[in-house]
């Protein structure tokens, strides 16, 4: 691939000097401004572990509980499987873009939105990611005070911030080290808790036979499942760029969404139906499983939050470079965690639903543009280096399609809203690019004549 005059490429000679120097530079920069070289790709297990750790979050418990409270067992299980299968398809496709190009989501957006234009999605999505981190910190502190009331909320939040920063500052390697341990541990504890729920009076039969007091439609349940992780699926290139083979992307996406998030949503659904409490962590404590509940809560929030912090640091690394000032990704990790702490201590978690609604409105259209550009308009046919070199200053068709679709989705709530937003933006972008291409062709013909 073509080398570029970026922070990483300036230090390329050092990377070839020795293995020790190579490792140090890789850890420090994490290829935030360059394609990941093929010899720096990771193995299948670490890729799958990161994907599973990212997808398992507290939101999985909440969504699974809501689905269990509003649907029959069969309908709820089908909704969880369908929703996460769709997420696996979207995340797998965008992860494949990362595999083919080696680029972060935000560096790939330079190709689509233009060199200067890519600053817009980088800043918008980066701010939303950091705000979401602050909300998760608040949720962690509140939950831990409920489990261990002797330790103040402030201490829990600060400890959590330190832990997340330690792993996120080392980039993908930090995520892999944490997830390789955390992902299987969370699954083991969840399985044990599930068996304990099944062994209680009523057990699984109570979940299967439960009739919801306030039913919700199948499309509402599927939409809730998709909306929970559509943002992560849209940023899957950040993980996929470290894959060695396309099959690793497919396995990572399926394990992350279907076997990871989907499994925890199913456990929470069973908990809601069988025990009558949609909060899986509280149910675990009621069963005398305080330690597993604490471990699952901490790890689920940690693995999700460090991935979000990682992605936001990549976003702002791209934005700062585009705006003429190269700032190391490590610095943006600390800036991001600082803003997240301000969000947590500022009490903004009270507006969580509105905040989540905004994320679910602007992110699916962004994913639609990525998929349209690389799969429908032939963006994967050329090497990443040549695509970056040929990127325009601003590609207005992408920005306008994104804004129009986001505004439309904000005021319109159709069934399967995230998918509608993704598809609508993809169609608008393809039409705009097709018209622009034909207009340019006519102009060239007219000039020649």
């Amino acid at each position: 691939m073509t080398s570029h005059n970026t922070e990483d490429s300036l230090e390329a000679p050092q990377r070839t000097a020795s293995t020790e120097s190579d490792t140090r530079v890789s850890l420090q920069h994490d290829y935030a401004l360059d394609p990941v070289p093929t010899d720096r790709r990771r193995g299948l297990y670490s890729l799958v572990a990161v994907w599973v750790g990212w997808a398992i979050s507290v939101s999985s418990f909440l969504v699974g509980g809501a689905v269990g409270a509003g649907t029959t067992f069969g309908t709820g299980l089908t909704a969880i499987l369908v929703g996460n299968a769709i997420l696996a398809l979207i995340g797998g496709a965008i992860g494949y873009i990362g595999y083919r190009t080696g680029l972060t989501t935000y560096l790939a957006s330079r190709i689509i939105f233009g060199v200067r234009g890519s600053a817009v999605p980088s800043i918008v999505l980066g701010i939303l990611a950091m705000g979401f981190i602050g909300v998760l910190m608040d949720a962690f502190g509140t939950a831990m005070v409920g489990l261990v009331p002797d330790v103040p909320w402030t201490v829990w939040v600060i400890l959590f911030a330190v832990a997340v920063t330690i792993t996120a500052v080392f980039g993908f390697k930090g995520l892999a080290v944490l997830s390789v341990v955390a992902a299987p541990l969370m699954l083991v504890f969840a399985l044990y808790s599930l068996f304990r729920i099944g062994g209680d009076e009523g057990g699984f039969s109570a979940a299967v036979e439960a009739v919801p007091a306030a039913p919700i439609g199948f499309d509402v349940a599927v939409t809730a499942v998709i909306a929970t992780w559509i943002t992560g699926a849209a940023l899957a290139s950040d993980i996929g760029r470290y894959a060695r083979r396309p099959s690793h992307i497919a396995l990572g996406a399926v394990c992350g969404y279907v076997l990871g998030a989907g499994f925890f949503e199913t456990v929470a659904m069973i908990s809601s139906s069988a025990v009558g409490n949609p909060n899986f962590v509280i149910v675990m404590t009621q069963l005398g499983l305080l330690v597993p509940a604490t471990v699952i809560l901490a790890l689920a929030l940690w693995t999700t939050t460090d991935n979000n912090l990682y992605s936001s640091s990549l976003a702002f690394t791209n934005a700062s470079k585009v705006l003429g000032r190269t700032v190391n990704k490590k610095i943006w990790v600390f800036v991001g965690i600082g803003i997240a702490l301000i969000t947590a201590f500022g009490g903004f978690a009270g507006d969580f639903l509105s905040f989540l609604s905004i994320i679910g409105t602007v992110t699916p259209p962004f994913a639609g543009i990525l998929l349209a550009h690389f799969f429908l308009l032939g963006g994967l046919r050329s090497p990443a280096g040549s695509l970056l070199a040929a990127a325009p200053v601003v590609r207005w068709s992408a920005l306008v399609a994104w804004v129009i679709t986001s505004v439309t989705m904000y005021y319109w709530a159709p069934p399967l809203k995230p998918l509608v937003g993704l598809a609508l933006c993809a169609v608008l972008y393809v039409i705009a690019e097709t018209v622009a291409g034909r207009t340019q062709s006519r102009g060239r013909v007219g000039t020649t004549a």
Side-chain angles (χ1 to χ4, degrees):
M1 291 184 178
T2 304
S3 177
H4 298 285
N5 186 26
T6 64
E7 182 183 16
D8 282 5
S9 61
L10 288 173
E11 300 198 31
Q14 297 179 20
R15 288 204 294 267
T16 59
S18 67
T19 302
E20 181 180 356
S21 175
D22 195 25
T23 302
R24 183 177 65 252
V25 174
S26 175
L27 286 177
Q28 181 178 1
H29 299 301
D30 199 42
Y31 305 102
L33 297 172
D34 267 336
V36 177
T38 55
D39 62 344
R40 289 297 172 192
R41 303 296 177 99
R42 309 286 294 187
L44 173 62
Y45 184 67
S46 63
L47 187 83
V48 170
V50 169
W51 220 316
V52 171
W54 189 15
I56 296 175
S57 70
V58 173
S59 59
S60 298
F61 305 145
L62 299 177
V63 169
V67 171
T71 65
T72 61
F73 181 82
T75 300
L77 184 60
T78 304
I80 288 173
L81 289 174
V82 170
N84 282 291
I86 292 172
L87 286 173
L89 286 173
I90 296 172
I94 293 179
Y96 181 74
I97 294 172
Y99 161 76
R100 284 289 300 273
T101 64
L103 302 176
T104 69
T105 305
Y106 304 102
L107 199 54
S109 72
R110 285 195 200 180
I111 298 170
I112 301 170
F113 291 88
V115 177
R116 295 283 182 181
S118 68
V120 177
S122 294
I123 292 173
V124 170
L125 297 179
I127 289 175
L128 290 176
M130 286 190 289
F132 189 65
I133 292 168
V135 171
L136 291 178
M137 285 181 177
D138 190 325
F140 175 78
T142 301
M144 291 306 296
V145 167
L147 295 174
V148 189
D150 292 336
V151 181
W153 177 87
T154 302
V155 173
W156 284 121
V157 171
I158 292 176
L159 287 175
F160 186 60
V162 171
V164 170
T165 303
I166 289 173
T167 51
V169 78
F170 288 107
F172 189 91
K173 185 176 179 62
L175 306 185
V177 170
L178 171 63
S179 298
V180 161
V181 176
L185 193 60
M186 286 189 289
L187 291 172
V188 167
F189 277 149
L191 275 171
Y192 177 66
S193 304
L194 185 61
F195 283 122
R196 284 290 302 271
I197 293 174
D200 274 12
E201 185 177 354
F204 295 128
S205 61
V208 174
E209 298 168 2
V211 178
I216 60 175
F218 177 76
D219 64 318
V220 175
V222 173
T223 299
V225 172
I226 295 174
T228 303
W229 265 111
I230 186 66
T231 299
L235 304 177
S237 182
D238 295 342
I239 297 177
R241 67 198 182 109
Y242 277 96
R244 290 178 181 170
R245 297 182 178 88
S247 59
H248 293 183
I249 296 291
L251 286 170
V254 170
C255 290
Y257 298 117
V258 179
L259 302 182
F263 174 71
F264 271 77
E265 287 162 1
T266 301
V267 171
M269 181 187 71
I270 292 173
S271 170
S272 176
S273 302
V275 184
N277 191 330
N279 192 319
F280 176 56
V281 175
I282 292 178
V283 170
M284 290 177 66
T285 60
Q286 292 174 347
L287 292 171
L289 302 174
L290 176 61
V291 173
T294 305
V295 171
I296 287 180
L297 176 65
L299 292 180
L301 282 167
W302 191 354
T303 53
T304 299
T305 303
D306 71 344
N307 272 279
N308 285 335
L309 180 57
Y310 174 64
S311 286
S312 69
S313 68
L314 293 175
F316 281 96
T317 301
N318 176 66
S320 63
K321 178 67 176 180
V322 166
L323 297 176
R325 186 174 181 82
T326 300
V327 179
N328 192 290
K329 183 182 71 68
K330 185 188 299 183
I331 301 300
W332 286 119
V333 169
F334 289 105
V335 171
I337 206 67
I339 295 177
L341 283 170
I342 293 173
T343 303
F345 286 114
F348 296 107
D351 296 325
F352 177 65
L353 291 179
S354 299
F355 183 76
L356 194 61
S357 175
I358 293 174
I359 293 178
T361 298
V362 303
T363 306
F366 176 79
I369 290 179
L370 282 176
L371 294 172
H373 187 90
F374 285 99
F375 287 100
L376 300 181
L377 297 179
L380 291 176
R381 296 172 186 166
S382 303
S386 61
L387 291 174
L388 286 170
V393 176
V394 177
R395 195 186 302 273
W396 291 105
S397 57
L399 286 173
V400 171
W402 189 34
V403 170
I404 289 176
T405 306
S406 297
V407 172
T408 302
M409 290 298 102
Y410 183 79
Y411 290 103
W412 180 37
L416 301 177
K417 178 179 176 179
L419 290 183
V420 173
L422 184 152
L424 176 60
C425 197
V427 170
L428 289 178
Y429 177 61
V430 169
I431 292 174
E433 280 296 283
T434 302
V435 171
R438 289 175 178 173
T439 301
Q440 292 169 5
S441 297
R442 290 195 195 100
R444 286 193 294 270
V445 172
T447 302
T448 302

